């Protein structure tokens, strides 16, 4: 956890210092807003995750802003269990309120909602507090498991090949289930 963020030159050991958000934001009001908001370490850990996965400055700024919006919209000032439906409901409400009237139900508001849901889900998942609804069973699941075993043990296919074929077959079977 104390590893440096390679392009920011900041370590999580310096959490109390203003320097971490001074590297991301230039306006004193933005730095202050991020430093004074709750869950500083948790938010910084999420920013670090994106930096380590190759994200650059502008998306990091956007992600940092979304975290504040998510916390405000969901009344999330301390880590607690969050259900996926709660994220969806908050995203719907926020996107409808944050978009100007003439942009409602447009790509802009849809993208805002999607970004809210994506960042909230990933952040809560990283924190270990996201509770997703159970996935419905796959049609012909027992046959799919047999087929995976066949590809792996009898045919000797690579895991990448198996994953690709499984994904295609799963999509096909889901579509077939809808039409039957």
């Amino acid at each position: 956890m104390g590893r440096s963020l390679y392009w920011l030159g900041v370590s999580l050991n310096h959490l109390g210092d203003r320097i971490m958000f001074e590297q991301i934001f230039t306006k004193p009001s933005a730095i202050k807003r991020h430093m004074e908001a709750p869950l500083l370490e948790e938010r910084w850990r999420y920013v670090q995750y994106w930096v380590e996965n190759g994200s650059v400055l502008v998306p990091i700024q956007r992600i940092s802003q979304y975290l504040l919006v998510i916390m405000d919209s969901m009344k999330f000032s301390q880590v607690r269990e969050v259900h996926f439906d709660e994220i969806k409901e908050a995203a719907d409400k926020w996107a409808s309120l944050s978009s100007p009237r003439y942009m409602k139900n447009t790509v802009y508001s849809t993208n805002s909602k999607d970004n809210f849901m994506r960042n909230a889900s990933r952040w809560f998942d990283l924190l270990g507090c996201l509770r997703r609804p159970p996935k419905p069973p796959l049609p012909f699941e027992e046959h799919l498991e047999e087929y995976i075993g066949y590809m792996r043990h009898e045919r000797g296919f690579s895991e990448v090949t198996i994953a690709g074929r499984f994904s295609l077959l799963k999509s096909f079977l889901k579509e077939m289930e809808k039409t039957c």
Side-chain angles (χ1 to χ4, degrees):
M1 199 154 117
R3 292 186 304 177
S4 291
L5 300 178
Y6 54 92
W7 60 269
L8 294 178
V10 177
S11 165
L12 279 175
N13 295 333
H14 296 97
L15 271 173
D17 300 341
R18 291 174 48 94
I19 191 167
M20 62 186 187
F21 283 113
E22 286 176 351
Q23 298 294 323
I24 298 174
F25 298 103
T26 55
K27 291 184 179 178
S29 59
I31 295 167
K32 183 178 180 192
R33 185 172 50 253
H34 285 276
M35 290 300 299
E36 292 178 355
L39 302 172
L40 180 63
E41 182 177 354
E42 290 83 354
R43 288 183 290 118
W44 192 245
R45 203 173 327 138
Y46 187 66
V47 168
Q48 181 184 28
Y49 164 81
W50 282 107
V51 170
E52 289 175 353
N53 283 286
S55 196
V56 293
L57 185 59
V58 173
I60 291 297
Q61 290 170 331
R62 198 172 303 124
I63 288 166
S64 297
Q65 281 301 119
Y66 263 105
L67 293 181
L68 294 182
V69 168
I70 290 163
M71 288 173 35
D72 185 53
S73 299
M74 297 183 67
K75 310 285 189 264
F76 192 82
S77 59
Q78 56 184 304
V79 178
R80 62 176 171 79
E81 187 173 277
V82 176
H83 292 270
F84 191 76
D85 292 341
E86 182 183 353
I87 296 171
K88 185 177 181 326
E89 183 180 312
D92 285 336
K93 184 176 179 182
W94 177 78
S96 69
L97 295 175
S98 67
S99 301
R101 213 178 301 229
Y102 63 89
M103 298 186 94
K104 299 246 188 290
N105 300 318
T106 65
V107 172
Y108 175 79
S109 63
T110 303
N111 286 344
S112 295
K113 176 185 168 186
D114 291 346
N115 285 332
F116 183 106
M117 290 181 61
R118 184 173 29 260
N119 280 296
S121 298
R122 288 177 177 163
W123 185 41
F124 295 145
D125 200 31
L126 183 77
L127 293 174
C129 63
L130 178 62
R131 300 297 170 254
R132 295 181 187 272
K135 292 183 180 181
L138 291 171
F140 308 104
E141 190 166 2
E142 66 281 352
H143 298 295
L144 286 171
E145 294 299 325
E146 288 176 26
Y147 183 60
I148 288 171
Y150 166 76
M151 288 189 293
R152 183 174 288 127
H153 302 296
E154 292 185 36
R155 296 296 305 266
F157 290 157
S158 74
E159 292 302 315
V160 173
T161 301
I162 293 169
R165 291 189 178 183
F166 176 75
S167 178
L168 286 170
L169 189 54
K170 183 171 71 171
S171 297
F172 172 75
L173 291 173
K174 282 183 178 181
E175 286 301 314
M176 289 301 294
E177 184 179 50
K178 289 178 189 176
T179 60
C180 293

